[in-house]
Amino acid sequence: MNNNNYVIIGASGGIGRQLTLDLQAQGANLFLGYHTNQPPAQLLKGAHYSQIDARSFEKTIKFIADAKQRLGDIDGVVSLPGAILLKSPHLVSESEFDKLVDTNLKTAFSVIRAVGKLLKNSSTILMSTAAVHLGLSNHEAIVASKAGIEAMVRSASVTYARKSIRFNAIAPGLVDTPLSHNIISTPSSLEYSKKLHVTGKIGTPQDISNMIQFLLNSNNQWITGQIFTIDGGLSTTKK
């Protein structure tokens, strides 16, 4: 991946940080997007960065256009924004639901829209969740906001095939990131979560970064419209 140009939206998160380090180590040129008041400075050696609210169509278009201006042709875009809301539906407020859908689903659509408009010969990777393929208690809101991403990946892979843009998604199990802190910080919840995975452990950012790198690689350009479940066997096996 030496000298390839990649855009990472959500670079300051747990998976984003790991992916940035991995791609930097391979000599990739990076344009990093973050949605906080401070950029992820510890990762920015040799990389460009910009604040981005991917919930906004206009801001996402500008962000991708800026990336093209800085780097040239973009070989891949990774969209990592996400939120978790684990509540029974009758306890979810309308504002909570709207925020979740905006963060998970609207950002993904916004990225697809910008990529389809501005790029060609590129790979786009979005994030779903293994919970979409299961029936898990209190996951109704999150799966509602993530299942649409999987459907969009399949449609977008057809819509933009003429521009040689590949679209794929990764559906992780529980991964040890700041986003999942409230779950894994409780010993009983952590142990329960480990038992749900046949491997007996939850995932790491490296597990997900490995798959993202595989999908970004132009040697794998025959892969598009697919959902890759990386979940320690959570969705397909039972102890």
Side-chain angles (χ1 to χ4, degrees):
M1 294 186 181
N2 190 37
N3 293 323
N4 282 0
N5 299 326
Y6 297 122
V7 173
I8 304 174
I9 300 173
S12 58
I15 295 171
R17 288 195 296 266
Q18 184 63 58
L19 178 63
T20 297
L21 292 173
D22 291 342
L23 292 177
Q24 282 183 328
Q26 297 175 45
N29 304 308
L30 302 178
F31 193 87
L32 307 178
Y34 61 95
H35 185 53
T36 59
N37 292 326
Q38 296 295 326
Q42 72 274 21
L43 302 177
L44 296 181
K45 296 177 181 177
H48 304 284
Y49 64 92
S50 177
Q51 191 167 5
I52 168 67
D53 183 353
R55 295 170 298 184
S56 164
F57 289 178
E58 180 181 353
K59 291 178 180 178
T60 305
I61 286 282
K62 184 180 184 304
F63 177 81
I64 297 296
D66 288 348
K68 283 186 65 178
Q69 186 175 17
R70 288 289 189 95
L71 300 182
D73 291 338
I74 303 299
D75 299 297
V77 176
V78 183
S79 180
L80 299 171
I84 296 175
L85 178 63
L86 302 181
K87 286 185 178 182
S88 298
H90 68 281
L91 298 176
V92 176
S93 69
E94 189 165 355
S95 62
E96 286 177 322
F97 184 80
D98 288 346
K99 182 179 179 180
L100 186 73
V101 170
D102 280 353
T103 302
N104 291 341
L105 184 60
K106 188 178 180 182
T107 58
F109 185 90
S110 182
V111 169
I112 291 172
R113 180 178 181 272
V115 166
K117 182 177 179 66
L118 298 176
L119 303 187
K120 61 182 180 178
N121 301 316
S122 185
S123 173
T124 296
I125 300 162
L126 304 169
M127 298 299 293
S128 180
T129 172
V132 167
H133 308 278
L134 295 164
L136 293 176
S137 176
N138 298 325
H139 279 66
E140 290 85 354
I142 189 170
V143 297
S145 67
K146 288 290 192 177
I149 293 174
E150 299 191 6
M152 287 194 299
V153 159
R154 289 185 282 268
S155 290
S157 68
V158 180
T159 303
Y160 297 110
R162 59 185 172 79
K163 298 182 73 175
S164 297
I165 307 175
R166 298 185 292 119
F167 291 88
N168 294 288
I170 295 174
L174 183 63
V175 179
D176 186 359
T177 67
L179 187 63
S180 62
H181 174 75
N182 289 339
I183 299 173
I184 64 178
S185 63
T186 304
S188 59
S189 295
L190 177 59
E191 287 306 308
Y192 174 76
S193 297
K194 287 180 178 178
K195 290 178 181 178
L196 289 176
H197 300 75
V198 71
T199 55
K201 59 182 180 180
I202 63 173
T204 68
Q206 188 69 70
D207 294 321
I208 309 306
S209 175
N210 291 343
M211 192 65 205
I212 294 173
Q213 293 171 70
F214 177 81
L215 293 173
L216 286 174
N217 194 317
S218 60
N219 290 332
N220 301 315
Q221 59 183 323
W222 211 42
I223 302 174
T224 190
Q226 304 300 315
I227 313 302
F228 292 88
T229 306
I230 312 299
D231 68 352
L234 171 66
S235 62
T236 54
T237 59
K238 183 177 180 181
K239 287 185 178 180

mmCIF file of all heavy atoms in Angstrom, residues 80-110:
data_model
loop_
_atom_site.group_PDB
_atom_site.id
_atom_site.type_symbol
_atom_site.label_atom_id
_atom_site.label_comp_id
_atom_site.label_asym_id
_atom_site.label_seq_id
_atom_site.Cartn_x
_atom_site.Cartn_y
_atom_site.Cartn_z
ATOM 1 N N LEU A 80 -15.908 5.313 9.666
ATOM 2 C CA LEU A 80 -15.964 4.626 10.961
ATOM 3 C C LEU A 80 -16.882 5.237 12.009
ATOM 4 O O LEU A 80 -16.991 4.681 13.106
ATOM 5 C CB LEU A 80 -14.547 4.547 11.558
ATOM 6 C CG LEU A 80 -13.526 3.770 10.729
ATOM 7 C CD1 LEU A 80 -12.131 3.951 11.321
ATOM 8 C CD2 LEU A 80 -13.892 2.296 10.665
ATOM 9 N N PRO A 81 -17.575 6.362 11.768
ATOM 10 C CA PRO A 81 -18.433 6.913 12.811
ATOM 11 C C PRO A 81 -19.473 5.901 13.272
ATOM 12 O O PRO A 81 -20.027 5.135 12.463
ATOM 13 C CB PRO A 81 -19.113 8.106 12.124
ATOM 14 C CG PRO A 81 -18.178 8.503 11.049
ATOM 15 C CD PRO A 81 -17.581 7.219 10.559
ATOM 16 N N GLY A 82 -19.740 5.884 14.574
ATOM 17 C CA GLY A 82 -20.730 4.942 15.091
ATOM 18 C C GLY A 82 -21.134 5.282 16.511
ATOM 19 O O GLY A 82 -20.424 5.986 17.228
ATOM 20 N N ALA A 83 -22.294 4.778 16.893
ATOM 21 C CA ALA A 83 -22.800 4.969 18.249
ATOM 22 C C ALA A 83 -23.512 3.699 18.682
ATOM 23 O O ALA A 83 -24.021 2.936 17.856
ATOM 24 C CB ALA A 83 -23.752 6.160 18.311
ATOM 25 N N ILE A 84 -23.522 3.461 19.979
ATOM 26 C CA ILE A 84 -24.180 2.295 20.559
ATOM 27 C C ILE A 84 -25.302 2.768 21.482
ATOM 28 O O ILE A 84 -25.103 3.684 22.284
ATOM 29 C CB ILE A 84 -23.181 1.434 21.360
ATOM 30 C CG1 ILE A 84 -22.103 0.855 20.437
ATOM 31 C CG2 ILE A 84 -23.899 0.309 22.096
ATOM 32 C CD1 ILE A 84 -21.017 0.092 21.185
ATOM 33 N N LEU A 85 -26.459 2.142 21.357
ATOM 34 C CA LEU A 85 -27.581 2.435 22.258
ATOM 35 C C LEU A 85 -28.271 1.112 22.566
ATOM 36 O O LEU A 85 -28.935 0.533 21.707
ATOM 37 C CB LEU A 85 -28.561 3.412 21.616
ATOM 38 C CG LEU A 85 -29.810 3.773 22.443
ATOM 39 C CD1 LEU A 85 -29.401 4.492 23.731
ATOM 40 C CD2 LEU A 85 -30.757 4.632 21.624
ATOM 41 N N LEU A 86 -28.087 0.631 23.778
ATOM 42 C CA LEU A 86 -28.655 -0.654 24.175
ATOM 43 C C LEU A 86 -29.770 -0.419 25.189
ATOM 44 O O LEU A 86 -29.530 -0.281 26.385
ATOM 45 C CB LEU A 86 -27.570 -1.559 24.778
ATOM 46 C CG LEU A 86 -26.380 -1.858 23.868
ATOM 47 C CD1 LEU A 86 -25.390 -2.780 24.560
ATOM 48 C CD2 LEU A 86 -26.830 -2.452 22.542
ATOM 49 N N LYS A 87 -30.986 -0.336 24.668
ATOM 50 C CA LYS A 87 -32.171 -0.128 25.490
ATOM 51 C C LYS A 87 -33.353 -0.837 24.848
ATOM 52 O O LYS A 87 -33.414 -0.973 23.623
ATOM 53 C CB LYS A 87 -32.528 1.361 25.591
ATOM 54 C CG LYS A 87 -31.643 2.205 26.481
ATOM 55 C CD LYS A 87 -32.215 3.621 26.548
ATOM 56 C CE LYS A 87 -31.416 4.521 27.469
ATOM 57 N NZ LYS A 87 -32.013 5.883 27.552
ATOM 58 N N SER A 88 -34.292 -1.263 25.668
ATOM 59 C CA SER A 88 -35.541 -1.753 25.119
ATOM 60 C C SER A 88 -36.236 -0.610 24.380
ATOM 61 O O SER A 88 -36.143 0.549 24.797
ATOM 62 C CB SER A 88 -36.450 -2.266 26.235
ATOM 63 O OG SER A 88 -35.853 -3.361 26.906
ATOM 64 N N PRO A 89 -36.913 -0.910 23.270
ATOM 65 C CA PRO A 89 -37.508 0.165 22.474
ATOM 66 C C PRO A 89 -38.393 1.123 23.268
ATOM 67 O O PRO A 89 -38.392 2.331 23.005
ATOM 68 C CB PRO A 89 -38.320 -0.595 21.421
ATOM 69 C CG PRO A 89 -37.562 -1.860 21.233
ATOM 70 C CD PRO A 89 -37.069 -2.214 22.614
ATOM 71 N N HIS A 90 -39.147 0.609 24.263
ATOM 72 C CA HIS A 90 -40.055 1.498 24.992
ATOM 73 C C HIS A 90 -39.321 2.465 25.907
ATOM 74 O O HIS A 90 -39.930 3.403 26.435
ATOM 75 C CB HIS A 90 -41.065 0.673 25.810
ATOM 76 C CG HIS A 90 -40.467 -0.091 26.944
ATOM 77 N ND1 HIS A 90 -39.794 -1.290 26.786
ATOM 78 C CD2 HIS A 90 -40.450 0.179 28.283
ATOM 79 C CE1 HIS A 90 -39.387 -1.726 27.961
ATOM 80 N NE2 HIS A 90 -39.774 -0.853 28.896
ATOM 81 N N LEU A 91 -38.006 2.267 26.068
ATOM 82 C CA LEU A 91 -37.209 3.180 26.889
ATOM 83 C C LEU A 91 -36.401 4.167 26.049
ATOM 84 O O LEU A 91 -35.758 5.066 26.599
ATOM 85 C CB LEU A 91 -36.250 2.380 27.784
ATOM 86 C CG LEU A 91 -36.903 1.433 28.792
ATOM 87 C CD1 LEU A 91 -35.837 0.647 29.544
ATOM 88 C CD2 LEU A 91 -37.790 2.207 29.761
ATOM 89 N N VAL A 92 -36.435 4.013 24.736
ATOM 90 C CA VAL A 92 -35.672 4.882 23.843
ATOM 91 C C VAL A 92 -36.487 6.127 23.512
ATOM 92 O O VAL A 92 -37.621 6.030 23.022
ATOM 93 C CB VAL A 92 -35.300 4.143 22.543
ATOM 94 C CG1 VAL A 92 -34.580 5.084 21.579
ATOM 95 C CG2 VAL A 92 -34.423 2.931 22.850
ATOM 96 N N SER A 93 -35.909 7.291 23.766
ATOM 97 C CA SER A 93 -36.597 8.538 23.431
ATOM 98 C C SER A 93 -36.444 8.827 21.946
ATOM 99 O O SER A 93 -35.548 8.294 21.272
ATOM 100 C CB SER A 93 -36.033 9.697 24.237
ATOM 101 O OG SER A 93 -34.715 10.010 23.819
ATOM 102 N N GLU A 94 -37.290 9.677 21.434
ATOM 103 C CA GLU A 94 -37.213 10.029 20.023
ATOM 104 C C GLU A 94 -35.894 10.726 19.696
ATOM 105 O O GLU A 94 -35.294 10.488 18.641
ATOM 106 C CB GLU A 94 -38.392 10.914 19.627
ATOM 107 C CG GLU A 94 -38.500 11.149 18.130
ATOM 108 C CD GLU A 94 -39.849 11.705 17.710
ATOM 109 O OE1 GLU A 94 -40.745 11.828 18.576
ATOM 110 O OE2 GLU A 94 -40.010 12.008 16.521
ATOM 111 N N SER A 95 -35.433 11.575 20.604
ATOM 112 C CA SER A 95 -34.173 12.283 20.360
ATOM 113 C C SER A 95 -32.987 11.314 20.354
ATOM 114 O O SER A 95 -32.045 11.461 19.566
ATOM 115 C CB SER A 95 -33.955 13.378 21.414
ATOM 116 O OG SER A 95 -33.861 12.828 22.712
ATOM 117 N N GLU A 96 -33.022 10.315 21.239
ATOM 118 C CA GLU A 96 -31.967 9.306 21.255
ATOM 119 C C GLU A 96 -31.947 8.522 19.949
ATOM 120 O O GLU A 96 -30.886 8.256 19.374
ATOM 121 C CB GLU A 96 -32.165 8.337 22.416
ATOM 122 C CG GLU A 96 -31.825 8.898 23.782
ATOM 123 C CD GLU A 96 -32.120 7.917 24.899
ATOM 124 O OE1 GLU A 96 -33.146 7.195 24.812
ATOM 125 O OE2 GLU A 96 -31.330 7.868 25.858
ATOM 126 N N PHE A 97 -33.127 8.151 19.473
ATOM 127 C CA PHE A 97 -33.221 7.388 18.236
ATOM 128 C C PHE A 97 -32.732 8.208 17.050
ATOM 129 O O PHE A 97 -31.963 7.716 16.211
ATOM 130 C CB PHE A 97 -34.658 6.926 17.999
ATOM 131 C CG PHE A 97 -34.822 6.055 16.791
ATOM 132 C CD1 PHE A 97 -34.501 4.705 16.840
ATOM 133 C CD2 PHE A 97 -35.286 6.581 15.598
ATOM 134 C CE1 PHE A 97 -34.638 3.896 15.721
ATOM 135 C CE2 PHE A 97 -35.428 5.783 14.472
ATOM 136 C CZ PHE A 97 -35.106 4.433 14.538
ATOM 137 N N ASP A 98 -33.153 9.462 16.982
ATOM 138 C CA ASP A 98 -32.735 10.330 15.881
ATOM 139 C C ASP A 98 -31.218 10.504 15.869
ATOM 140 O O ASP A 98 -30.585 10.475 14.805
ATOM 141 C CB ASP A 98 -33.407 11.696 15.990
ATOM 142 C CG ASP A 98 -34.893 11.640 15.653
ATOM 143 O OD1 ASP A 98 -35.344 10.620 15.090
ATOM 144 O OD2 ASP A 98 -35.602 12.626 15.970
ATOM 145 N N LYS A 99 -30.632 10.679 17.033
ATOM 146 C CA LYS A 99 -29.182 10.857 17.126
ATOM 147 C C LYS A 99 -28.457 9.597 16.666
ATOM 148 O O LYS A 99 -27.444 9.660 15.953
ATOM 149 C CB LYS A 99 -28.784 11.212 18.564
ATOM 150 C CG LYS A 99 -27.296 11.455 18.744
ATOM 151 C CD LYS A 99 -26.973 11.830 20.185
ATOM 152 C CE LYS A 99 -25.486 12.055 20.365
ATOM 153 N NZ LYS A 99 -25.149 12.421 21.773
ATOM 154 N N LEU A 100 -28.974 8.451 17.065
ATOM 155 C CA LEU A 100 -28.350 7.178 16.684
ATOM 156 C C LEU A 100 -28.404 6.976 15.179
ATOM 157 O O LEU A 100 -27.409 6.595 14.550
ATOM 158 C CB LEU A 100 -29.050 6.027 17.401
ATOM 159 C CG LEU A 100 -28.422 4.641 17.229
ATOM 160 C CD1 LEU A 100 -27.136 4.547 18.029
ATOM 161 C CD2 LEU A 100 -29.389 3.547 17.650
ATOM 162 N N VAL A 101 -29.560 7.218 14.580
ATOM 163 C CA VAL A 101 -29.721 7.053 13.139
ATOM 164 C C VAL A 101 -28.835 8.038 12.380
ATOM 165 O O VAL A 101 -28.202 7.688 11.373
ATOM 166 C CB VAL A 101 -31.196 7.210 12.738
ATOM 167 C CG1 VAL A 101 -31.339 7.274 11.216
ATOM 168 C CG2 VAL A 101 -32.033 6.070 13.287
ATOM 169 N N ASP A 102 -28.757 9.268 12.846
ATOM 170 C CA ASP A 102 -27.894 10.258 12.211
ATOM 171 C C ASP A 102 -26.429 9.819 12.251
ATOM 172 O O ASP A 102 -25.699 9.945 11.259
ATOM 173 C CB ASP A 102 -28.031 11.611 12.891
ATOM 174 C CG ASP A 102 -29.257 12.384 12.441
ATOM 175 O OD1 ASP A 102 -29.929 11.931 11.494
ATOM 176 O OD2 ASP A 102 -29.553 13.431 13.042
ATOM 177 N N THR A 103 -26.001 9.315 13.404
ATOM 178 C CA THR A 103 -24.597 8.941 13.579
ATOM 179 C C THR A 103 -24.234 7.694 12.792
ATOM 180 O O THR A 103 -23.164 7.619 12.173
ATOM 181 C CB THR A 103 -24.282 8.722 15.065
ATOM 182 O OG1 THR A 103 -24.585 9.909 15.801
ATOM 183 C CG2 THR A 103 -22.806 8.374 15.264
ATOM 184 N N ASN A 104 -25.110 6.703 12.799
ATOM 185 C CA ASN A 104 -24.791 5.432 12.154
ATOM 186 C C ASN A 104 -25.192 5.380 10.684
ATOM 187 O O ASN A 104 -24.376 5.058 9.818
ATOM 188 C CB ASN A 104 -25.463 4.277 12.904
ATOM 189 C CG ASN A 104 -24.854 4.041 14.266
ATOM 190 O OD1 ASN A 104 -23.737 4.475 14.546
ATOM 191 N ND2 ASN A 104 -25.576 3.359 15.129
ATOM 192 N N LEU A 105 -26.445 5.692 10.403
ATOM 193 C CA LEU A 105 -26.981 5.497 9.060
ATOM 194 C C LEU A 105 -26.766 6.704 8.147
ATOM 195 O O LEU A 105 -26.324 6.564 7.001
ATOM 196 C CB LEU A 105 -28.468 5.164 9.137
ATOM 197 C CG LEU A 105 -29.171 4.834 7.824
ATOM 198 C CD1 LEU A 105 -28.542 3.615 7.158
ATOM 199 C CD2 LEU A 105 -30.663 4.611 8.053
ATOM 200 N N LYS A 106 -27.067 7.895 8.648
ATOM 201 C CA LYS A 106 -26.955 9.074 7.783
ATOM 202 C C LYS A 106 -25.513 9.341 7.387
ATOM 203 O O LYS A 106 -25.233 9.736 6.245
ATOM 204 C CB LYS A 106 -27.563 10.303 8.456
ATOM 205 C CG LYS A 106 -27.642 11.502 7.514
ATOM 206 C CD LYS A 106 -28.297 12.715 8.162
ATOM 207 C CE LYS A 106 -28.364 13.883 7.181
ATOM 208 N NZ LYS A 106 -28.961 15.098 7.813
ATOM 209 N N THR A 107 -24.577 9.138 8.310
ATOM 210 C CA THR A 107 -23.169 9.343 7.958
ATOM 211 C C THR A 107 -22.747 8.401 6.843
ATOM 212 O O THR A 107 -22.021 8.791 5.924
ATOM 213 C CB THR A 107 -22.245 9.147 9.161
ATOM 214 O OG1 THR A 107 -22.415 7.831 9.700
ATOM 215 C CG2 THR A 107 -22.498 10.167 10.247
ATOM 216 N N ALA A 108 -23.201 7.153 6.916
ATOM 217 C CA ALA A 108 -22.846 6.181 5.879
ATOM 218 C C ALA A 108 -23.408 6.598 4.525
ATOM 219 O O ALA A 108 -22.716 6.539 3.499
ATOM 220 C CB ALA A 108 -23.359 4.797 6.266
ATOM 221 N N PHE A 109 -24.672 7.030 4.503
ATOM 222 C CA PHE A 109 -25.273 7.492 3.245
ATOM 223 C C PHE A 109 -24.533 8.715 2.728
ATOM 224 O O PHE A 109 -24.277 8.845 1.515
ATOM 225 C CB PHE A 109 -26.749 7.819 3.452
ATOM 226 C CG PHE A 109 -27.460 8.195 2.184
ATOM 227 C CD1 PHE A 109 -28.076 7.236 1.403
ATOM 228 C CD2 PHE A 109 -27.493 9.520 1.763
ATOM 229 C CE1 PHE A 109 -28.718 7.583 0.218
ATOM 230 C CE2 PHE A 109 -28.132 9.876 0.589
ATOM 231 C CZ PHE A 109 -28.742 8.908 -0.189
ATOM 232 N N SER A 110 -24.185 9.615 3.623
ATOM 233 C CA SER A 110 -23.479 10.836 3.251
ATOM 234 C C SER A 110 -22.143 10.523 2.591
ATOM 235 O O SER A 110 -21.752 11.157 1.604
ATOM 236 C CB SER A 110 -23.275 11.711 4.488
ATOM 237 O OG SER A 110 -22.643 12.928 4.179
#
